[in-house]
Amino acid sequence: MGDHRAGHRADGGGAHAGAEERRLTTREVAERLGVKPETVYAYVSRGQLSSRRDASGRGSTFDPREVEALLRRNRRETAFGGETAIRTGITLISKDRYYYRGVDATALAERYTYEEVADWLWTGRLRRGTRFTAPHDALIAALRAVGSLPAHAGPADRLRVAAIAAAAADPLRFDLAPQAVLGTARGLIPTLVDALPAAGPLPREDGGGTLPRRLWSRLTAQTPDAASLRALETALVLLIDHDLAASTLAVRVAASARSHPYAVVTAGLGVVESPLHGAASGLAHRMLTEVLERGSAGAVVADHLRGGRRVPGLGHRLYKGPDPRATALFARLEQVPGAADALAAAREVEATTARHVPLHANVDLALAVLSVSARMPPEAGETVFAVARTAGWIAHALEEYGERPMRMRPSGEYSGPTPPQPLP
């Protein structure tokens, strides 16, 4: 037979040249791409595939050439520092603002609770009155595990152990269906909070109080006023997600390998205690404490620079102007009577440094104002950061579970000795 043009086939026994290649069913496309059928429709909604109703009108069919082109693009995608970015519909950072699913994150922090915004990131729906509850068995397991740690254990240690213990208590943890993952998330976050050792009297009202109230009692013995609790909740909302930060990238790698949600969160917690990431607010806390003790920011800033250290809490590579998270949290802290001195110290640090270098306060400095003014330990900001970011990690895991498995597998660029080498 003669040659056939690309995109057509030769049917043995009389098919004519130019006959359209058989279209693929949804299940066939899913198998070819290595994804779930619902992910195929996600590709359609993103405009990456086009579909057509089949003859019965009950299903969809797809052009095999489009499917092959998408498969080739997926195979070329590089997830670690390459030119192709990881697709995400969760957070956009643009022009010194950031947005959760297209909505200004600082505006969400003004009007909604942490749990409501977390659910917005997971489902795309904002529902007033959303509350998370810790499952009894998971909480008991987490409390016992955290209680066995030495007194000097850090917040990331406690949260990791709590997540691992909660996972061991959940026989359904390997169910990665979206609704199952959502159920896990809504139980895991309060479990992490309630498993932390108390620093002061635990709230009794309303079944133990709101999530920020319960977290507050784990961070300080100081009794909170309404403005302080609102500042803590604002911080939690502002920190839920920040695109593909280091811990979030670790989470997406784990989710790409189909780790369950508890393991995904544990992967994030393994990165978050870095002094360059979630623990950065502790450095700013200690600096502000020293400024308040010495009565001036100038000498403290000078000591940092003399020692070859950066001044904590200043600058962010994603924002040329002020960090919008710091701006929003500072505005909330202005309503907290006990935060006035720490706020003044933070602004003096920023103004002193800005004489030569145009750096703005970042969210770590704002977190430090919260922790210093509420007499929390230096590590409190790290705890707030990790609890808040857990919701963002779950959002990224949900998104990654819908992608091709194991796509986060870069190839190493070997730079060792030329093989073969003799045995040592």
Side-chain angles (χ1 to χ4, degrees), residues 229-277:
L229 287 178
R230 193 70 186 98
L232 177 57
E233 181 130 57
T234 296
L236 288 169
V237 174
L238 294 170
L239 291 167
I240 285 179
D241 191 57
H242 207 230
D243 195 32
L244 290 173
S247 58
T248 305
L249 182 56
V251 160
R252 297 217 50 147
V253 172
S256 176
R258 298 303 184 259
S259 296
H260 57 70
Y262 300 93
V264 159
V265 169
T266 303
L269 289 169
V271 179
V272 84
E273 66 178 330
S274 162
L276 302 178
H277 192 29

Side-chain angles (χ1 to χ4, degrees), residues 162-188:
I164 292 168
D170 183 2
L172 304 179
R173 62 188 179 275
F174 296 103
D175 187 349
L176 302 186
Q179 287 304 313
V181 175
L182 289 174
T184 297
R186 291 171 182 141
L188 175 57

Side-chain angles (χ1 to χ4, degrees), residues 115 131-134 189-191 193-194 196 198 202-203 206-219 229 232:
E115 288 140 303
R131 294 284 297 272
F132 300 158
T133 304
I189 292 174
T191 298
V193 171
D194 294 346
L196 294 171
L202 297 180
D206 191 22
T210 63
L211 190 92
R213 178 65 181 91
R214 302 201 310 276
L215 179 57
W216 181 279
S217 68
R218 270 77 180 178
L219 300 175
L229 287 178
L232 177 57

Side-chain angles (χ1 to χ4, degrees), residues 92-397:
L92 169 68
I93 300 173
S94 176
K95 298 179 181 178
D96 287 344
R97 307 295 296 172
Y98 75 120
Y99 306 84
Y100 294 157
R101 291 196 180 277
V103 179
D104 189 298
T106 60
L108 287 169
E110 281 288 324
R111 298 183 55 185
Y112 296 95
T113 69
Y114 169 74
E115 288 140 303
E116 290 166 351
V117 177
D119 224 43
W120 162 251
L121 271 191
W122 299 338
T123 68
R125 297 188 301 274
L126 270 171
R127 295 179 293 184
R128 289 289 191 183
T130 299
R131 294 284 297 272
F132 300 158
T133 304
H136 179 266
D137 290 348
L139 180 56
I140 294 302
L143 282 167
R144 289 172 177 166
V146 172
S148 69
L149 293 174
H152 64 265
D157 297 323
R158 295 190 177 104
L159 292 170
R160 273 198 304 270
V161 166
I164 292 168
D170 183 2
L172 304 179
R173 62 188 179 275
F174 296 103
D175 187 349
L176 302 186
Q179 287 304 313
V181 175
L182 289 174
T184 297
R186 291 171 182 141
L188 175 57
I189 292 174
T191 298
L192 295 178
V193 171
D194 294 346
L196 294 171
L202 297 180
R204 297 178 180 274
E205 77 281 3
D206 191 22
T210 63
L211 190 92
R213 178 65 181 91
R214 302 201 310 276
L215 179 57
W216 181 279
S217 68
R218 270 77 180 178
L219 300 175
T220 178
Q222 182 171 300
T223 302
D225 52 36
S228 297
L229 287 178
R230 193 70 186 98
L232 177 57
E233 181 130 57
T234 296
L236 288 169
V237 174
L238 294 170
L239 291 167
I240 285 179
D241 191 57
H242 207 230
D243 195 32
L244 290 173
S247 58
T248 305
L249 182 56
V251 160
R252 297 217 50 147
V253 172
S256 176
R258 298 303 184 259
S259 296
H260 57 70
Y262 300 93
V264 159
V265 169
T266 303
L269 289 169
V271 179
V272 84
E273 66 178 330
S274 162
L276 302 178
H277 192 29
S281 64
L283 302 175
H285 176 109
R286 292 180 174 88
M287 177 189 65
L288 285 188
T289 301
E290 187 179 357
V291 170
L292 291 171
E293 289 173 350
R294 298 174 67 172
S296 172
V300 177
V301 168
D303 285 347
H304 276 81
L305 297 177
R306 183 185 304 143
R309 303 185 302 274
R310 294 184 61 181
V311 180
L314 298 178
H316 197 289
R317 69 182 188 89
L318 296 183
Y319 301 112
K320 294 181 180 178
D323 182 338
R325 301 169 299 173
T327 302
L329 187 50
F330 280 146
R332 183 65 70 182
L333 287 164
E334 288 175 354
Q335 303 171 27
V336 178
D341 290 344
L343 263 173
R347 286 172 173 150
E348 187 183 359
V349 168
E350 183 179 21
T352 300
T353 310
R355 293 175 190 172
H356 298 293
V357 182
L359 292 176
H360 300 277
N362 61 34
V363 73
D364 298 315
L365 191 61
L367 268 181
V369 171
L370 173 63
S371 59
V372 169
S373 62
R375 299 177 185 174
M376 297 175 182
E379 299 80 15
E382 181 182 346
T383 305
V384 175
F385 185 100
V387 170
R389 194 56 60 90
T390 300
W393 293 336
I394 293 293
H396 281 273

